[in-house]
Amino acid sequence: MAVFTELSRAEIEHILCDYSVGGLVELEPVASGVENTNYFISTKDDRGLHRWVLTLFENIDSNDLPYFCELLTELARHRLAVPSPEPRRAPPSWFWCRQRPGILAPRLSGVAVMQPDSTHCYAIGRWLGTMHQALAQSSLQRSPPRDAAWFESAARSVEGYLESLGQDLMRQLMCSCQQLFPRLSNLPQRLIHGDLFRDNALFEGSSVSGVIDFYHGCRHAAALDLAIMMNDWCFDRRKGAFDESLEQAMLQGYQSMRKLEREELECWPALRVMAAGQFWLSRLKTRYLQGYQSHSSVGQVFKDPAEMEQMLVGLLAQTGV
């Protein structure tokens, strides 16, 4: 979350006219995150004070909005704490402002845990397994945006900015991914979060109180979703290595709700590589090919690709590529 498009109080009040949430009391720009404009707002009506997050999408195809809104609504129906869009007085559930779509959603309780322990990793693993099982029969469809063509295009776009060691790492990454891509569609497919990093989960104590930022979501290999999450949560940044106890706790939590199948276990090392590689590439693109993200008025929106590079080196060493 960040602020790329600054909204005035009058603009937010105008947006709220289409909702039955009361009048605007307070607004606060949100500095964290890297992709969309977000404001914390409070409204008041005869039922009391209500807390919301107003999101303005900066880089989402409007054709994908029905998918994201229905995904969040389905998850809420399954009693999973997510920022399900608040209905407007008349459909659709999103608004337009400054030629950008947006939604209003409840502000979830809890805080992100940036130094997780085994209890946090077990809990978030169980949460993801619950999500994958809850939506196993869902008819929602969205193709993976980071497919083989995206990997190839992203690699070509940044390779010229890399030193020789980085270029060698890129070749190893692409070799691993090219071997994995033909197998991905044969793995169990689910609706995935796609970006369940530590800052996208909220906790109250050791319990998950909410999960946010589903805008990388699509129908994809379920195990890739777990790999994305495990890479971020279980990497000890002080030691520059993965913490096996955290990995085991997360895996146990996930498999308490959904057992990984044989094909997923066979592909697991390569899935971990692909998971780290896609975020390495996306961070390199943000650093060297700056677009709208270079114009945030609030917050630091660039994430260091060096962290993903460090993960990638270790994971590739394990696969022997």
Side-chain angles (χ1 to χ4, degrees):
M1 291 186 272
V3 173
F4 304 100
T5 302
E6 294 186 72
L7 300 179
S8 67
R9 186 180 183 92
E11 285 176 306
I12 292 177
E13 287 177 332
H14 180 72
I15 291 168
L16 294 178
C17 288
D18 290 332
Y19 294 88
S20 301
V21 298
L24 179 63
V25 175
E26 189 176 17
L27 65 91
E28 174 191 350
V30 180
S32 59
V34 298
E35 293 188 349
N36 299 311
T37 289
N38 289 272
Y39 283 85
F40 289 148
I41 69 171
S42 299
T43 63
K44 189 174 184 180
D45 58 15
D46 55 10
R47 295 171 297 164
L49 194 68
H50 310 283
R51 302 195 312 160
W52 310 94
V53 179
L54 186 148
T55 298
L56 202 63
F57 298 114
E58 300 287 348
N59 194 36
I60 283 180
D61 186 334
S62 60
N63 293 324
D64 287 331
L65 282 172
Y67 169 86
F68 291 126
C69 290
E70 184 55 34
L71 171 63
L72 291 165
T73 300
E74 279 200 35
L75 288 167
R77 289 194 201 109
H78 286 281
R79 300 183 182 277
L80 290 168
V82 298
S84 179
E86 179 71 9
R88 295 166 74 236
R89 289 195 172 101
S93 55
W94 57 90
F95 61 83
W96 287 87
C97 181
R98 305 275 195 95
Q99 300 182 318
R100 294 166 174 80
I103 62 170
L104 182 70
R107 183 176 173 182
L108 304 178
S109 62
V111 295
V113 175
M114 303 311 289
Q115 298 293 333
D117 60 24
S118 295
T119 60
H120 298 115
C121 288
Y122 181 92
I124 197 64
R126 184 177 175 86
W127 194 98
L128 189 66
T130 300
M131 172 188 160
H132 287 169
Q133 289 300 83
L135 300 185
Q137 304 304 317
S138 175
S139 61
L140 284 175
Q141 296 289 337
R142 182 178 183 244
S143 298
R146 293 178 175 177
D147 57 8
W150 180 90
F151 269 80
E152 291 172 5
S153 173
R156 286 196 304 270
S157 70
V158 300
E159 193 168 22
Y161 296 96
L162 303 177
E163 302 292 340
S164 58
L165 288 177
Q167 292 178 4
D168 185 56
L169 183 62
M170 184 73 75
R171 286 190 287 271
Q172 293 179 66
L173 167 64
M174 296 308 294
C175 178
S176 177
C177 288
Q178 286 161 4
Q179 294 176 38
L180 178 60
F181 276 123
R183 305 183 66 181
L184 279 178
S185 61
N186 295 324
L187 301 180
Q189 305 290 297
R190 292 291 191 275
L191 296 178
I192 71 167
H193 183 284
D195 190 28
L196 221 175
F197 281 40
R198 292 161 298 155
D199 54 357
N200 284 333
L202 304 174
F203 282 80
E204 292 181 340
S206 59
S207 299
V208 179
S209 59
V211 171
I212 63 174
D213 198 359
F214 284 79
Y215 305 112
H216 287 265
C218 57
R219 185 171 292 278
H220 210 336
L224 179 63
D225 209 13
L226 179 60
I228 289 168
M229 186 171 70
M230 185 175 288
N231 282 354
D232 181 67
W233 288 71
C234 302
F235 188 70
D236 187 326
R237 286 150 179 83
R238 294 162 298 184
K239 298 179 180 179
F242 289 98
D243 186 318
E244 291 186 12
S245 65
L246 298 184
E247 292 177 331
Q248 288 302 313
M250 181 173 287
L251 194 59
Q252 289 169 9
Y254 183 85
Q255 294 203 109
S256 70
M257 300 307 300
R258 177 186 172 267
K259 295 288 187 183
L260 292 175
E261 298 184 8
R262 177 179 57 81
E263 294 84 356
E264 293 174 296
L265 294 172
E266 290 175 353
C267 291
W268 184 243
L271 286 166
R272 295 282 299 273
V273 167
M274 178 176 283
Q278 73 177 49
F279 287 97
W280 183 51
L281 287 172
S282 66
R283 292 181 183 186
L284 287 171
K285 287 184 66 177
T286 301
R287 166 170 285 186
Y288 295 118
L289 307 171
Q290 295 180 12
Y292 76 94
Q293 288 170 302
S294 64
H295 304 296
S296 174
S297 60
V298 176
Q300 171 56 253
V301 299
F302 299 120
K303 290 191 174 181
D304 189 357
E307 181 178 88
M308 285 295 161
E309 181 177 327
Q310 191 175 30
M311 290 185 194
L312 193 54
V313 169
L315 291 167
L316 281 165
Q318 294 176 25
T319 66
V321 172

